[in-house]
Amino acid sequence: MPRSGSSFVCSDCGHESPRWEGRCSGCGEWNTLVEERRPPGSGGGARRATSGAGPSPVRPVTLAAVETSEQARLGTGIGELDAVLGGGIVPGSLVLIGGAPGIGKSTLTTMVLANLVAAGRRALYVSAEESAAQVRLRAERLGSRGALDIPVIAETDLHCVLATLEHERPEVCVIDSVQTLHSGELSSAAGSVGQVREVAGEIMRVAKSLGIAVLLVGHVTKEGNLAGPRVLEHIVDCVLQFEGERERTYRTVRAIKNRFGSTNEAGVFEMRDHGLVEVLDASARFVSGATRAAGSVVLCAMEGSRPLLVEVQALVSPSELVPPRRVVSGLDRNRVALVIAVLARHGGIGVGAADVFVNVVGGVRIEDPGADLAVALAIASAARSTALSGADGERPLACFGEIGLTGELRSVAHSDRRVAEAAKFGLTPVVEPEAVPSVRAALRAALKGAPTPARHRTRAAFGGPPLAA
Ligand code: TYD
Ligand code: MG
């Protein structure tokens, strides 16, 4: 039973309900309501009582009569990040930067503030996770101009932070992280759904009223969701996702929501000894490093509006396990499962009894439906122990395309730009939906002339029916 003064917040969608109803009236999920108790007298809550006179009507205006102001954006000094943001930070905007621990969120935000401070902007770094000394050590490591001039506070109390914002009035402020700030108004621990919502809401209120642009750092869960409250994604202007594997050097930053720009942009970075470095020639690096062994293929992917060539590798090996292992990194696991099923059903390559490992080289994460064909060809090449190559027999084979459930290849956006990027590196012809209509035809084109190794001659790898010539 709810205590008086408590409310229930859904751990899935952040919807607040005054009563315990068993299921959330916002998203309909059962048993996801978490009680938030407010100490007596704290008031709080988003709802304000209306005055006795009742609300007065507001006169609507046509959109043409609405005034807009085009404010100059604040350049972060990091070209890839500015592009993702749509041309820099919009003054007074709220940007959420999500990413797994250790991916480089603090490094990136420190670099941004260093550049802004060096450009004469007022900035503030609020560290609720690390001590000021730790922040200084990072800044020293970056060694960039302005890094040691960033004003910093190490504070976990939300109200102290809000008071500091009102006093200092920076143009840009970093909150690292939203999950470690704590509001005394709520009894729950820092990082809980209610806390994060309260913290983000209060910061937004103060920042918007003072015109402070805020970069909110947030952790993501193992599943890749911004921890706990999806509700944060609704209230901020822009959500940037920082992805990649911590142990590898390449990272991508992409916008998954942007009120001031497109969500098509993505930037590629490399973590070096002195901070994150923009990678402008990513395709060249990946192509030159591509192995010419069975199980490897070059994918013409799109990272936002930019074509990017990456190497996709697969390993298919007999398994002792039931069910066999499916280990995927850098791609959507479910997409890989679909491709494996289509390969078996429509491509004559069954890997049902084998462990399958699929990896995008370099730790890049690809979210592009066009990756399907690369996964299919890499697995087929690995299953057949046959190296794939382009027309000259020297360079790796390049491909892209989405695979449909009936084994057809579907075209994906920006095919000419993908083909052009591959041509830049001499990777022609590209196996793609405009050239081949189906997975079966793509396999035939890719495995053409390649002799099937003797041990696979009588049957396709691991029990699949033979591939029709
Ligand atoms: P960090 O920015 O602290 O990650 P997050 O805030 O997302 O948790 O740093 C991530 C990792 O990067 C950390 O393990 C140390 C490493 N690193 C470098 O390799 N080079 C550098 O210049 C810096 C500052 C960090
Ligand atoms: Mg950090």
Side-chain angles (χ1 to χ4, degrees):
M1 279 301 289
R3 282 161 276 222
S4 69
S6 45
S7 66
F8 295 89
V9 179
C10 176
S11 59
D12 273 4
C13 72
H15 182 83
E16 193 179 311
S17 32
R19 290 186 313 280
W20 171 260
E21 289 158 336
R23 75 195 288 175
C24 169
S25 52
C27 64
E29 290 296 318
W30 285 96
N31 293 328
T32 50
L33 298 183
V34 181
E35 186 173 5
E36 277 302 341
R37 214 160 2 105
R38 290 173 192 277
S42 69
R47 282 177 223 98
R48 249 175 285 125
T50 47
S51 67
S56 46
V58 180
R59 193 181 143 87
V61 291
T62 59
L63 285 176
V66 176
E67 280 183 30
T68 59
S69 62
E70 188 63 27
Q71 281 174 296
R73 297 195 182 217
L74 304 166
T76 62
I78 303 171
E80 294 277 282
L81 183 63
D82 280 345
V84 173
L85 286 166
I89 301 173
V90 172
S93 66
L94 199 58
V95 178
L96 177 64
I97 301 179
I103 197 86
K105 301 178 297 297
S106 305
T107 306
L108 184 70
T109 47
T110 308
M111 288 170 64
V112 168
L113 288 199
N115 292 342
L116 287 165
V117 167
R121 300 287 182 178
R122 278 173 290 119
L124 179 67
Y125 193 100
V126 177
S127 176
E129 226 161 64
E130 295 168 307
S131 68
Q134 283 171 304
V135 178
R136 175 185 170 141
L137 287 177
R138 180 182 293 107
E140 279 177 355
R141 188 169 177 185
L142 296 176
S144 55
R145 205 161 68 86
L148 287 176
D149 297 324
I150 303 171
V152 60
I153 59 166
E155 181 57 66
T156 55
D157 184 83
L158 171 68
H159 294 281
C160 292
V161 171
L162 295 179
T164 312
L165 283 181
E166 288 191 39
H167 187 257
E168 298 292 326
R169 310 235 165 168
E171 288 165 273
V172 182
C173 166
V174 168
I175 307 283
D176 188 2
S177 68
V178 67
Q179 277 115 340
T180 44
L181 274 192
H182 181 265
S183 163
E185 302 268 293
L186 303 178
S187 57
S188 50
S192 69
V193 180
Q195 282 283 356
V196 170
R197 213 164 64 124
E198 171 91 0
V199 166
E202 283 297 295
I203 287 174
M204 182 171 78
R205 188 180 58 76
V206 171
K208 293 267 171 196
S209 71
L210 301 176
I212 303 170
V214 178
L215 305 179
L216 272 183
V217 172
H219 297 288
V220 295
T221 58
K222 268 196 255 122
E223 295 76 41
N225 294 326
L226 284 166
R230 301 296 307 265
V231 67
L232 271 196
E233 297 184 17
H234 300 295
I235 68 169
V236 300
D237 298 308
C238 186
V239 181
L240 302 188
Q241 198 128 298
F242 210 149
E243 293 172 329
E245 316 225 342
R246 200 171 19 178
E247 303 75 21
R248 319 274 201 81
T249 51
Y250 292 107
R251 279 105 215 261
T252 51
V253 174
R254 74 180 90 230
I256 53 176
K257 166 181 174 177
N258 193 349
R259 284 187 183 147
F260 311 114
S262 92
T263 49
N264 272 334
E265 296 303 328
V268 182
F269 291 89
E270 189 181 358
M271 184 59 98
R272 296 250 189 97
D273 270 351
H274 299 288
L276 290 157
V277 181
E278 301 166 66
V279 179
L280 301 172
D281 60 343
S283 290
R285 293 197 198 188
F286 293 132
V287 170
S288 66
T291 44
R292 291 286 334 288
S296 158
V297 69
V298 168
L299 161 67
C300 311
M302 291 300 291
E303 267 298 315
S305 60
R306 193 172 58 177
L308 176 70
L309 305 180
V310 289
E311 182 186 359
V312 175
Q313 292 188 339
L315 172 69
V316 175
S317 120
S319 178
E320 304 293 318
L321 301 173
V322 179
R325 269 181 292 187
R326 302 283 181 251
V327 182
V328 180
S329 86
L331 290 160
D332 180 4
R333 207 172 175 278
N334 293 329
R335 263 339 268 189
V336 173
L338 180 148
V339 169
I340 289 174
V342 171
L343 265 181
R345 186 70 184 80
H346 300 287
I349 296 195
V351 290
D355 287 335
V356 178
F357 303 83
V358 181
N359 179 27
V360 180
V361 176
V364 187
R365 190 168 170 83
I366 299 292
E367 274 177 32
D368 178 356
D372 291 355
L373 185 58
V375 173
L377 294 186
I379 293 175
S381 158
R384 293 289 176 95
S385 305
T386 303
L388 307 179
S389 58
D392 62 359
E394 292 296 319
R395 287 178 232 261
L397 181 76
C399 67
F400 66 89
E402 184 180 351
I403 292 178
L405 292 182
T406 60
E408 85 279 18
L409 277 190
R410 313 179 71 96
S411 46
V412 285
H414 306 297
S415 50
D416 358 340
R417 298 179 59 191
R418 296 175 195 246
V419 171
E421 181 79 356
K424 234 173 35 188
F425 297 93
L427 307 183
T428 49
V430 177
V431 181
E432 47 121 355
E434 257 137 66
V436 285
S438 64
V439 173
R440 186 171 282 265
L443 289 171
R444 222 179 288 141
L447 297 167
K448 64 174 179 315
T452 308
R455 63 201 162 87
H456 293 318
R457 213 165 265 156
T458 48
R459 53 176 206 145
F462 311 112
L467 176 67

